[in-house]
Amino acid sequence: KKRKTQKMDDWRALHILADIYHKNWNMEKRENLIKEIGAVHFAQLMPKLILHWDSTFQHHIFYPGDHTTKTELKMYGILLTTCVQKLGRGNCNSFIDKLLECNMFWLRQSSDLSDLSSIEDGLIMLSCLLQVLETNLSIEWYNQFHNTVMKALKSYRESISLTKAAIGLLSDFSKVLPLKVYTDLTTCYFEALFHMTRDLELAQLFELNVYSYLCDFALSQESGHFIRYLLCSIEIVQNATAYRDDDEYKMSNITENICDAYIGIIQTLKTDKVEHFFEKYIDHLLQYLSSFFNSDYRVQDYALAKAVGLVGDICSIYGVIAKPLIVQNRVKKAVDLLAISGDPQFMSTSLWVQQQIEVVEKMQEDGVVKHITYQVQKIL
């Protein structure tokens, strides 16, 4: 009786997962259904799903034109992704090699057929696998995926969503590849990114999360290597600061992305002890932040926190140069708003920034600071 109940539970769990895939439900309903399934059932379902996925793939190799088989493959891929997300880090070790192998074959087949939708599904699944990986990804495994990822990065004219999935993967690779290996790969990544910024509109670049990745890109470099990308990185971000949109929610996301990129750049330069290379660009950054804090946009708290955090970084790294910014009432008001937000992380950011501001306020100005003050006043 116990075995029968267990089988019925597994069958019910698989049935729910299939419904999640097939029915056009909203995200909240999907998440509620997934919560019905206990982790034990996901662990028991995983080998069965891998077996079904593998046999279906073998059939697809011999009958590539079979649309039903292709649909089933896509379903099993998404169900496996759901299981991996549910099991989480540390609970997929016994399946991970087989899952990577399945994913590799799926991406290779999809890439050969130029099936962009299937490549995107495969990259999303690979991202989930990398996030639960407990050890470094070997270079041998990475080489199996490199060509597909690069193809996806260059496919932004055909599919923005595919390129977005590939950019997300680059951040995942930075966390699971050995530092030297990832640093050696970043030249081809950055080249693809730079061409993208020349070909696409700013709105499309924000949709692709290019600027958030620029932060990860900078912070993941081996010591001393980021300086070779500095000029192009600053050009990319400075161009983005000119973007405006009437949608306040979209502007909050844009502000967060731009501040993310600047934070990654100046923190990396500080780590490499070459922060002085950014001083010639600090004027533009202070003007951008002044314009943001004094705008009439009603930004979300997360964007405000990111901008305030960037003010703190400027104070801690560049000291008195930040003075023209921190004397503004709107900046102080933003710091105070975070302090009473009720969010522990925002309140901690506010406290730290306030401490950095107090240190800078006691410093003496010089000629450079007076020039920057004049430029900021022109903006206001």
Side-chain angles (χ1 to χ4, degrees):
K1 184 178 178 183
K2 201 169 186 179
R3 277 198 304 272
K4 186 177 179 182
T5 304
Q6 188 65 58
K7 284 182 180 177
M8 288 297 289
D9 286 342
D10 285 350
W11 178 86
R12 170 67 180 151
L14 186 58
H15 195 73
I16 290 173
L17 283 173
D19 279 349
I20 288 170
Y21 170 75
H22 282 298
K23 295 183 179 177
N24 189 26
W25 285 326
N26 62 36
M27 187 58 67
E28 184 181 356
K29 186 164 184 180
R30 287 170 188 249
E31 288 175 355
N32 288 336
L33 281 168
I34 289 172
K35 286 174 185 174
E36 288 184 27
I37 308 172
V40 63
H41 299 303
F42 277 98
Q44 290 163 353
L45 283 169
M46 185 72 85
K48 299 174 187 177
L49 284 171
I50 292 173
L51 186 63
H52 284 305
W53 198 96
D54 202 22
S55 61
T56 307
F57 185 78
Q58 296 304 322
H59 180 81
H60 181 62
I61 290 174
F62 289 106
Y63 304 99
D66 188 340
H67 181 72
T68 304
T69 306
K70 183 179 172 183
T71 303
E72 286 181 1
L73 266 179
K74 186 172 182 178
M75 182 188 77
Y76 283 125
I78 291 175
L79 296 185
L80 281 167
T81 302
T82 305
C83 285
V84 167
Q85 289 173 323
K86 183 72 175 184
L87 286 170
R89 193 177 180 88
N91 296 314
C92 298
N93 294 343
S94 56
F95 313 119
I96 201 74
D97 282 343
K98 186 61 181 175
L99 286 169
L100 285 169
E101 184 184 335
C102 288
N103 187 259
M104 175 191 69
F105 284 125
W106 173 240
L107 283 171
R108 187 177 294 170
Q109 180 77 3
S110 301
S111 187
D112 291 343
L113 297 172
S114 296
D115 186 347
L116 299 184
S117 174
S118 296
I119 295 173
E120 184 181 340
D121 290 335
L123 293 183
I124 291 170
M125 181 180 176
L126 178 58
S127 178
C128 290
L129 294 177
L130 296 181
Q131 287 169 28
V132 301
L133 199 64
E134 288 201 300
T135 57
N136 278 344
L137 184 73
S138 69
I139 190 63
E140 289 77 21
W141 266 124
Y142 172 80
N143 287 337
Q144 302 294 328
F145 299 111
H146 177 78
N147 289 339
T148 304
V149 173
M150 292 306 300
K151 178 180 179 179
L153 279 175
K154 296 172 183 177
S155 298
Y156 47 84
R157 290 188 183 88
E158 293 79 24
S159 173
I160 285 287
S161 59
L162 172 60
T163 303
K164 184 176 182 178
I167 289 174
L169 254 182
L170 300 188
S171 294
D172 294 326
F173 281 136
S174 72
K175 297 175 180 68
V176 297
L177 284 171
L179 182 60
K180 188 173 187 330
V181 172
Y182 185 77
T183 301
D184 292 342
L185 290 167
T186 49
T187 301
C188 60
Y189 292 162
F190 194 82
E191 185 180 333
L193 206 69
F194 190 71
H195 284 303
M196 210 179 293
T197 62
R198 292 301 176 96
D199 290 347
L200 296 176
E201 298 291 332
L202 285 174
Q204 293 172 304
L205 295 173
F206 284 117
E207 186 182 345
L208 287 170
N209 293 329
V210 165
Y211 303 98
S212 289
Y213 171 65
L214 200 56
C215 173
D216 292 338
F217 176 85
L219 293 171
S220 61
Q221 294 295 299
E222 200 172 22
S223 179
H225 279 254
F226 178 68
I227 196 71
R228 70 181 74 173
Y229 306 110
L230 179 61
L231 291 178
C232 290
S233 297
I234 289 173
E235 179 188 331
I236 291 170
V237 186
Q238 284 187 345
N239 289 339
T241 60
Y243 185 80
R244 295 292 180 271
D245 197 291
D246 292 334
D247 186 327
E248 292 179 341
Y249 180 76
K250 189 179 288 187
M251 279 305 294
S252 292
N253 290 335
I254 288 167
T255 301
E256 183 186 28
N257 284 334
I258 291 173
C259 290
D260 255 338
Y262 271 123
I263 287 168
I265 289 170
I266 63 178
Q267 285 188 357
T268 301
L269 294 177
K270 181 186 178 184
T271 302
D272 292 347
K273 298 183 175 16
V274 289
E275 60 269 25
H276 58 280
F277 280 110
F278 189 75
E279 286 182 3
K280 65 174 80 171
Y281 309 105
I282 200 82
D283 192 355
H284 183 278
L285 175 54
L286 293 182
Q287 289 179 41
Y288 167 70
L289 287 172
S290 292
S291 176
F292 165 73
F293 284 115
N294 288 281
S295 69
D296 294 326
Y297 284 109
R298 295 180 59 188
V299 296
Q300 304 292 316
D301 282 351
Y302 59 83
L304 192 65
K306 197 68 74 170
V308 168
L310 179 53
V311 171
D313 278 341
I314 296 169
C315 289
S316 67
I317 298 171
Y318 297 103
V320 73
I321 292 178
K323 213 163 189 179
L325 187 64
I326 62 173
V327 296
Q328 297 175 36
N329 290 332
R330 287 287 191 98
V331 175
K332 293 179 178 179
K333 185 178 178 181
V335 177
D336 293 339
L337 279 173
L338 286 185
I340 58 172
S341 65
D343 184 296
Q345 190 171 352
F346 293 168
M347 292 165 72
S348 175
T349 298
S350 174
L351 178 62
W352 176 75
V353 173
Q354 187 58 54
Q355 290 169 348
Q356 304 309 310
I357 287 175
E358 288 172 2
V359 171
V360 172
E361 284 176 335
K362 297 173 183 175
M363 296 178 178
Q364 295 296 316
E365 293 186 3
D366 59 21
V368 175
V369 176
K370 288 175 182 174
H371 167 70
I372 294 174
T373 303
Y374 172 70
Q375 295 295 330
V376 170
Q377 284 173 346
K378 279 170 59 178
I379 294 290
L380 298 177

